[in-house]
């Protein structure tokens, strides 16, 4: 690190330092976190995941790995590579962990384990003091590091409230080889022979997606994408994924539009480890009408502009590990309607800083209520922003990781 970027350059870039967070969390909190970082500064940490692009894990690891480096902890981020067949298998694992009932066949296990073995062959982790593996895709890597001396932690980001039993039993044989598992919420805890920790995700308030934006810039961005602003905007921004319930969103929007005219904007990108997006996008496009704009793009500034411009932000998921899109919209003071599931329930207190819904009908009723009542939108949005400031900024995620890593720090001999 020191060879690549001098301290002076780092402070000129001014990126991902705790000092940046002082104005948001206070000097005392920033100092407390810096002191914890000092205690584990000699550790070298490696994160391993399956994509640099799309989805919540990438959103977390991008700032987290940069912040860890900025605090002096040498932190790497390795990716595993895979064929479309492999990612087809791992998407199935993702779906079954979130409750879909389908078997994971012997042939699928062979593809999954073979590709992970090939990745393990290319991975050299001898210098690390801790290895953190994210989600099911790279999970079996651990089998191939039997002479490891450092702790290995598996962090699972999916909604594990009701995993398919047979698939979870299959994966558990790998999980139990780790020193511990890390879940997003206490309710995702499992019966395991190893320790469990809980770390809730967070957002980077300084990223292109979350930074402050002037009204002019915001309007310009909507204009670039030909998003009309003559009617109030209702939006959902999510990977094109069945668990995000885009068809439920369209149904709710159609019902709401019968009472208040509005435009629905559905924006999605597709993670490179998610092979199902194309099919879901086709389904959405064929259901859309002239009041529904569907954009398949990857543009964080558009996400920012839309979350700031929409009268209502929806995240009508039927399963959701955490739901960073909810956090991002709440941080911008938006009025958010979320599915009453998983991590969304953890963020939205119904009627206090947003609304929770179970059905498209409930979503439609809340859309109408919010569109008719700008003061309610403002009140919910102000409380939403404050709850993100207190609980879901990256500085807190860094602190949680520092606390956890300090438990596994090896004594210097
Ligand atoms: N995202 C994006 N563009 C899109 C859709 C999603 O940048 O078109 C981002 C979104 O802003 C969030 C992340 O992808 O940061 C999704 O994380 P979340 O936890 O909401 O869901 P996941 O995709 O991990 O299931």
């Amino acid at each position: 690190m020191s060879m690549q970027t001098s301290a002076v350059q780092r402070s000129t870039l001014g990126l991902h330092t705790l000092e940046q967070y002082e104005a948001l969390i206070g000097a005392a909190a920033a100092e407390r976190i810096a002191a914890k970082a000092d205690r584990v500064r000699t550790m070298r940490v490696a994160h391993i995941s399956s994509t640099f692009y799309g989805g919540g894990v990438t959103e977390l690891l991008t700032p987290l790995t940069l912040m860890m480096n900025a605090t002096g902890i040498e932190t790497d981020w390795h990716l595993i590579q895979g064929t479309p067949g492999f990612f087809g298998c791992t998407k199935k694992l993702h779906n079954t962990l979130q409750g879909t009932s389908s078997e994971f066949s012997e042939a699928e296990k062979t593809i999954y384990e073979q590709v992970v073995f090939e990745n393990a062959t290319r991975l050299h982790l001898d210098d690390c003091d801790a290895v953190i593996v994210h989600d099911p895709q790279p999970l079996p890597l651990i089998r191939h590091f039997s002479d490891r001396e450092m702790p290995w932690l598996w962090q699972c980001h999916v909604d594990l409230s009701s995993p398919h039993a047979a698939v979870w039993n299959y994966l558990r044989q790998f999980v139990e080889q780790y020193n511990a598992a890390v879940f997003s919420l206490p309710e995702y805890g499992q019966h395991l022979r190893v320790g469990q920790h809980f770390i809730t995700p967070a957002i980077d308030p300084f990223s292109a997606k979350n930074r402050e934006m002037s009204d002019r810039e915001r309007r310009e961005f909507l204009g670039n994408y030909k998003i009309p602003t003559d009617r109030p905007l209702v939006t959902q921004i999510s990977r094109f994924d069945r668990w995000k319930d885009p068809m439920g969103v369209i149904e709710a929007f159609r019902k709401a539009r019968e009472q208040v005219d509005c435009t629905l904007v559905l924006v999605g990108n597709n993670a490179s480890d998610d092979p199902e997006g194309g099919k879901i996008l086709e389904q959405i496009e064929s259901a859309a009408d002239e009041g529904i704009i569907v954009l398949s793009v990857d543009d964080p500034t558009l996400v920012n502009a839309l979350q700031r411009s929409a009268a209502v932000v929806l995240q009508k998921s039927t399963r959701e590990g955490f739901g960073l899109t909810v956090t991002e919209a709440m941080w911008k003071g938006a009025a958010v309607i979320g599915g009453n599931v998983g991590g969304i329930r953890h963020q939205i207190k119904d009627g206090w800083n947003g609304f929770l819904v179970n059905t498209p009908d409930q979503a439609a009723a809340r859309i109408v209520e919010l569109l008719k009542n700008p003061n309610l939108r403002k009140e919910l949005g102000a409380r939403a922003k404050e709850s993100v400031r207190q609980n879901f900024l990256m500085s807190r995620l860094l602190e949680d990781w520092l606390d956890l890593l300090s438990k596994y720090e090896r004594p210097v001999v």
Side-chain angles (χ1 to χ4, degrees):
M1 178 78 185
S2 52
M3 278 164 56
Q4 295 152 9
T5 315
S6 70
V8 175
Q9 281 173 311
R10 257 204 313 268
S11 69
T12 316
L13 291 169
L15 291 175
H16 304 285
T17 61
L18 275 169
E19 290 77 35
Q20 268 188 307
Y21 282 78
E22 271 188 29
L24 299 172
I25 62 173
E31 277 164 27
R32 183 185 68 233
I33 301 169
K36 288 181 179 182
D38 267 345
R39 290 209 297 270
V40 293
R41 196 185 290 286
T42 53
M43 284 183 99
R44 180 157 185 177
V45 177
H47 289 268
I48 305 174
S49 75
S50 63
T51 177
F52 266 137
Y53 174 74
V57 178
T58 304
E59 293 290 329
L60 290 173
L61 286 185
T62 301
L64 179 66
T65 52
L66 293 172
M67 274 189 100
M68 287 175 72
N69 279 296
T71 57
I73 303 163
E74 289 196 8
T75 306
D76 297 326
W77 178 4
H78 301 281
L79 291 187
I80 62 157
Q81 295 150 349
T83 55
F86 170 76
F87 287 120
C89 293
T90 58
K91 180 69 195 212
K92 191 168 185 186
L93 288 176
H94 174 96
N95 288 338
T96 47
L97 285 181
Q98 297 211 135
T100 302
S101 176
S102 59
E103 298 307 317
F104 197 59
S105 69
E106 289 306 314
E108 286 167 320
K109 287 177 189 170
T110 303
I111 295 171
Y112 176 52
E113 293 177 25
Q114 173 65 25
V115 172
V116 171
F117 161 72
E118 289 167 11
N119 276 278
T121 310
R122 289 188 291 260
L123 202 53
H124 303 283
L125 298 166
D126 297 340
D127 293 343
C128 294
D129 297 298
V131 176
I132 303 165
V133 174
H134 296 265
D135 272 350
Q137 297 90 335
L139 170 65
L141 275 175
I142 191 156
R143 295 162 85 191
H144 308 291
F145 292 83
S146 52
D147 57 352
R148 64 191 174 273
E149 288 176 2
M150 73 294 272
W152 278 55
L153 306 170
W154 180 59
Q155 184 168 28
C156 179
H157 298 266
V158 306
D159 181 338
L160 265 190
S161 49
S162 52
H164 182 263
V167 171
W168 174 246
N169 277 338
Y170 163 64
L171 292 180
R172 195 168 48 190
Q173 59 167 317
F174 304 120
V175 179
E176 290 186 333
Q177 294 175 45
Y178 283 75
N179 292 72
V182 184
F183 300 108
S184 301
L185 300 179
E187 53 264 45
Y188 299 158
Q190 303 292 322
H191 292 293
L192 285 174
R193 280 194 298 243
V194 293
Q196 301 182 50
H197 305 281
F198 302 96
I199 295 187
T200 317
I203 59 163
D204 172 4
F206 307 109
S207 67
K209 187 174 290 172
N210 295 316
R211 68 171 168 81
E212 293 298 325
M213 212 178 190
S214 71
D215 282 353
R216 205 173 121 239
E217 197 185 354
R218 186 169 61 73
R219 277 195 301 270
E220 250 175 50
F221 254 86
L222 298 187
N224 290 346
Y225 285 94
K226 303 195 172 26
I227 296 172
T229 48
D230 52 336
R231 283 168 290 191
L233 296 176
V234 176
T235 189
Q236 175 159 301
I237 299 159
S238 265
R239 279 183 305 108
F240 296 119
D241 178 295
R242 65 175 98 164
W243 303 107
K244 313 290 182 184
D245 196 17
M247 303 312 286
V249 169
I250 291 175
E251 186 184 336
F253 166 74
R254 288 215 168 105
K255 289 205 169 113
R257 188 175 53 181
E258 287 167 13
Q259 296 185 56
V260 185
D261 203 8
C262 47
T263 300
L264 175 64
V265 186
L266 291 171
V267 178
N269 61 1
N270 198 22
S272 57
D273 59 352
D274 179 358
E276 286 182 350
K279 248 187 280 158
I280 307 283
L281 175 59
E282 271 171 32
Q283 207 185 353
I284 296 169
E285 280 174 335
S286 61
D289 58 44
E290 70 290 347
I292 302 177
I293 297 171
V294 183
L295 295 171
S296 174
V297 291
D298 186 55
D299 184 343
T301 315
L302 172 66
V303 173
N304 195 341
L306 250 183
Q307 288 171 332
R308 288 182 191 281
S309 308
V312 177
V313 175
L314 286 164
Q315 188 55 60
K316 217 207 93 29
S317 308
T318 53
R319 285 279 191 280
E320 192 63 76
F322 182 68
L324 284 171
T325 51
V326 171
T327 334
E328 290 157 2
M330 290 173 77
W331 175 241
K332 290 158 192 130
V336 183
I337 301 174
N340 187 15
V341 291
I344 301 179
R345 255 199 316 232
H346 198 78
Q347 301 186 64
I348 297 180
K349 300 284 160 263
D350 191 31
W352 166 253
N353 58 2
F355 286 124
L356 292 172
V357 295
N358 294 300
T359 62
D361 278 354
Q362 286 176 4
R366 291 304 193 189
I367 295 171
V368 171
E369 185 180 354
L370 286 168
L371 290 179
K372 286 183 172 169
N373 191 341
N375 284 338
L376 176 62
R377 300 204 299 262
K378 243 194 225 154
E379 272 172 34
L380 296 178
R383 292 189 202 117
K385 178 162 190 165
E386 179 56 15
S387 58
V388 175
R389 190 191 68 76
Q390 289 183 18
N391 302 301
F392 303 123
L393 295 183
M394 207 29 82
S395 42
R396 196 232 68 234
L397 184 72
L398 173 67
E399 185 170 13
D400 285 352
W401 270 112
L402 296 174
D403 287 339
L404 186 50
L405 288 172
S406 70
K407 292 192 204 322
Y408 290 94
E409 197 186 14
R410 288 182 291 182
V412 182
V413 282

